[in-house]
């Protein structure tokens, strides 16, 4: 499927997530079939990973290697603890491989906080970027159109300058990976005219309105996300995380409603058979595995976070996301994009408060 | 349907919302059929309202009166402007009727910000309540179980004390209207262990943990709302509004997906016919009109906010909510509940920071 001319080497945290190697190993094997230029490094306990490879009749599989790591970061472990005490964790070693240039990206389904803290510590942020952010794509009502939203939980307390950086990074990603020439950027806010947001969004908006090079379209509301009102939606990590979890919650609730309604009795079960093709089609549009693979943006290196509960198909989507970012050389492009925008706007952002007007 | 022994008098802002009297008048007529003890006062331009009544052959309809108001608050009008310049608006006059004791509640589909500001100005907050909040019910995966969430947008910037007040009010409402003996209260937060929230949620949690009389169960995440993990979910108005709009957005997106999938061709259209009964059942569980009618809690009086785009059925649900609150005498019970809780916890809340422990 891919046409990459050069090998793409990606390190996988084989022990991360709810299922560890049981999901990561088969997903890796599948990925190698998809992408002819892909090389994968499975990072984790070599005995456990080897055993899983044996189970899949894939010992000595081509373009697949193991790098041993003796520790595992727990899903509930504090990032500070993981940083201090888990220096030989599968997560840390996978990120180290990126740092050392032995891999061009890494993918982990492990603890988000630990992943972010470790990635930031090991890889460091790009020049001009104070805080990395988590970005992901969400479905919309517009055909073949996804919306990119950030930050989804890396930064709980943000400054206007942080949000402006998120807008810059989101804009660059939508342009270089999403192939959108001038991606529109919206700032997530509440709907009521009078109170129109807190100081954070007001101050951020004041900066973005004067920012050249970003197609800022102003405030958007929660429901606008799914209408594709903007190509990129920016918010702080607290709001973004609640928004993402709310979306997951509503989708799961609906899935349950549909399932319950169609399995109520033999008649509804028959009805379900009659419309299985339609239900499958709807399910596919909303399949969480199609939306797996959030990126940690703003680092010297590519780090993809898979959902902790990802199945094989979902984890494969996360690997695909990593391949795309490698092919598009996303960190370098973000670095260039950020440098360009910062230079073009150097005079505008010195005193954002001066433009405070209702 | 109702068994109220005494008349319930409710003032309706006949001009509010996207459709004004075109929705409010027929909904009012329907409500009067439902609730034998109900008296309704239609507040608005008497010519326009009269004309609409004539259209519905309901001039001189029993238990229905008109109170004239010469102005209308625009949907985008600033609350401060509405307060200053629209002293004879249908919204203001309806709230005045509650203040004067001529109505026991009012319902408006108008501008939320203006409604909140006017209600707060005219009715004043209950003793011990600094800021009123907007509360509404949302569907969950648990059968016949709804979750109450507040604040949904009245208070953009909150203190821990504000959130504690929301927890108290939500708890009282779930108990007296929802008939839940010891309603569980969750605080909306993000999922990552390490960063576990901003100072606002941490400080609020520290207070609630020591608060007697509230069944506080700790942090919940966005997806927990729809799992009915808690009976009441508390958050600030910014987060609550984004959450609510996100929920609406996802539901609308799914409705569109289902509609598109079933109307694609004659075969899928036939399939839709085969499962119409199931689709209708699912639609009913999620029907926005079943969830209309948010309450402005914490005031000396009952004010119900209907969705601006509410249709007749939705507006009727909002009227029903008002009737319930009148029957349960909600403001008095909140006042009692708040007083009781404040007295019981007087010593605990003097210095919440002293208990800061991770």
């Amino acid at each position: 499927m891919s046409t990459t001319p050069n090998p793409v080497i990606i390190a996988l945290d084989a022990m991360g997530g709810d299922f560890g190697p049981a999901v990561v190993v088969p997903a890796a094997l599948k990925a190698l079939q998809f992408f002819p230029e892909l090389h994968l490094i499975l990072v984790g306990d070599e005995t456990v990973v080897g055993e899983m490879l044996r189970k899949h009749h894939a010992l000595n599989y081509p373009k697949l290697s193991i790098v041993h790591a003796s520790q595992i970061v727990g899903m509930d472990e504090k990032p500070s603890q993981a940083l201090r005490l888990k220096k030989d964790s599968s997560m840390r070693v996978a990120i180290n491989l990126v740092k050392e240039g032995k891999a061009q990206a890494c993918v982990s389904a492990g603890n988000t906080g630990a992943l972010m803290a470790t990635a930031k510590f090991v890889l460091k942020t790009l020049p001009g970027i104070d805080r990395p952010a988590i970005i992901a794509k969400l479905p919309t009502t517009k055909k073949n159109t996804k919306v990119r939203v950030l930050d989804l939980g890396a930064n709980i307390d943000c400054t206007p300058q942080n949000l402006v950086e998120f807008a810059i990074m989101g804009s660059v990603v939508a342009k270089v990976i999403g192939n959108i020439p001038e991606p529109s950027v919206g700032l997530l806010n509440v709907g009521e005219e009078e109170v129109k947001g807190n100081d954070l969004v007001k101050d951020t908006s004041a900066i973005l309105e004067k920012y050249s090079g970003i197609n800022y379209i102003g405030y958007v509301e929660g429901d606008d996300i799914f209408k594709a009102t903007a190509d990129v939606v920016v918010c702080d990590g607290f709001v973004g995380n609640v928004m993402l979890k709310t979306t997951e919650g509503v989708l799961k609730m609906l899935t349950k409603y549909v399932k319950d309604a169609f399995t109520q009795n033999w008649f509804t079960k028959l009805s379900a058979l009659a419309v299985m093709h339609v239900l499958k089609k709807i399910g596919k549009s909303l399949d969480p595995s199609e939306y797996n693979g959030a990126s940690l943006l703003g680092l010297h290196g590519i780090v993809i976070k898979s959902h902790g509960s990802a199945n094989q198909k979902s984890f494969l989507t996360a690997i695909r996301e990593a391949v795309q970012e490698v092919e598009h050389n996303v960190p370098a492009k973000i670095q260039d994009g950020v440098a360009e925008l910062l230079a073009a706007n150097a005079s505008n952002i010195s005193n954002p408060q001066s433009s405070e007007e209702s």
Side-chain angles (χ1 to χ4, degrees), chain A:
Chain A
M1 258 177 93
S2 166
T3 55
T4 37
N6 302 310
V8 172
I9 307 167
I10 295 175
L12 306 180
D13 169 6
M15 315 304 282
D18 299 343
F19 310 111
V23 153
V24 176
V25 167
L29 297 173
K30 201 85 181 171
L32 290 171
Q33 291 167 17
F34 262 110
F35 301 101
E37 302 305 315
L38 185 61
H39 289 63
L40 290 175
I41 305 172
L42 294 166
V43 184
D45 186 306
E46 56 192 351
T47 317
V48 177
V49 175
E51 194 46 55
M52 192 56 70
L53 282 172
R54 189 188 321 273
K55 211 177 135 186
H56 285 274
H57 314 289
L59 278 175
N60 306 315
Y61 201 84
K63 304 192 211 160
L64 190 65
S65 53
I66 300 178
V67 166
H68 180 67
S70 64
Q71 294 176 305
I72 297 175
V73 175
M75 288 306 269
D76 289 337
E77 205 157 338
K78 282 196 177 178
S80 52
Q81 279 190 342
L83 258 181
R84 214 171 55 241
L85 306 171
K86 298 289 178 72
K87 290 183 183 165
D88 196 39
S89 70
S90 55
M91 181 188 281
R92 178 74 165 260
V93 173
I95 295 171
N96 285 343
L97 290 173
V98 176
K99 167 80 178 169
E100 296 156 6
K102 292 174 183 165
Q104 292 154 281
C106 80
V107 181
S108 173
N111 178 332
T112 312
L115 184 67
M116 180 50 98
T118 308
K120 195 178 169 188
F121 179 78
V122 172
L123 299 174
K124 312 297 177 203
T125 53
L126 294 168
I129 297 294
D130 183 39
R131 312 261 283 271
I134 301 176
I135 190 170
K137 282 173 288 186
L138 291 177
T140 73
T141 49
K142 218 164 139 187
K143 206 172 176 182
N144 298 324
T145 304
K146 289 171 185 173
V147 56
R148 288 178 163 82
V149 188
L150 75 169
D151 172 42
L152 295 175
N155 307 281
I156 297 310
D157 291 300
C158 291
T159 64
Q161 195 52 41
N162 295 144
L163 294 194
V164 171
E165 287 177 11
F166 302 165
I168 295 170
M169 295 195 288
S171 192
V172 171
V173 168
K175 199 179 286 179
V176 304
I177 303 194
N179 288 318
I180 304 165
E182 285 192 23
S184 54
V185 176
L187 190 59
L188 192 57
N189 198 355
V190 297
E192 303 315 326
E193 291 303 316
E194 80 298 353
V195 280
K196 211 118 204 179
N198 47 28
D199 289 344
L200 175 62
V201 294
K202 283 180 199 162
D203 293 348
T204 305
S205 191
I207 303 177
L208 287 175
E209 271 167 13
K210 300 168 91 186
Y211 219 86
S212 69
I214 292 183
N215 178 14
Y216 176 59
I217 59 163
Y219 298 135
V220 296
E221 297 185 48
D223 52 338
D224 286 312
I225 295 170
F226 308 95
K227 291 179 195 163
T229 306
D231 297 310
V232 177
V233 173
V234 171
C235 56
D236 71 56
F238 191 100
V239 169
N241 190 273
V242 168
M243 185 282 302
L244 186 69
K245 294 278 167 69
T246 297
T247 304
E248 285 176 17
V250 175
L251 289 178
K252 276 185 193 160
M253 176 175 68
L254 281 158
T255 308
K256 188 181 181 312
Y257 277 14
V258 171
K259 211 174 159 184
D260 288 355
F262 277 113
T263 54
Q264 207 173 23
N265 54 46
W266 66 266
F267 184 60
T268 56
K269 279 178 194 162
L270 269 182
S271 308
L273 283 181
V275 293
M276 198 49 86
H277 58 292
V278 181
L279 292 180
K280 275 198 177 144
K281 189 168 185 286
I282 297 167
K284 201 172 167 337
S285 323
L286 300 167
D287 185 354
S289 69
E290 292 286 319
Y291 298 90
N292 193 32
S295 308
L296 274 54
L297 288 187
L299 297 164
H300 284 284
I302 297 164
V303 180
I304 304 294
K305 163 76 177 109
S306 160
H307 206 295
S309 65
N311 61 17
Q312 182 188 324
K313 195 176 159 202
S314 289
F315 199 85
L316 182 60
T317 310
I319 298 175
R320 182 178 290 129
E321 182 68 31
V323 172
Q324 282 197 330
E325 296 206 7
V326 171
E327 287 176 351
H328 289 96
N329 202 2
V330 169
K333 285 197 178 138
I334 288 183
Q335 185 165 348
D336 292 351
V338 170
E340 200 179 304
L341 284 170
L342 288 179
N345 292 276
S347 59
N348 283 347
I349 57 173
S350 48
N351 188 8
Q353 270 72 20
S354 69
S355 70
E356 210 164 273
E357 194 103 0
S358 116

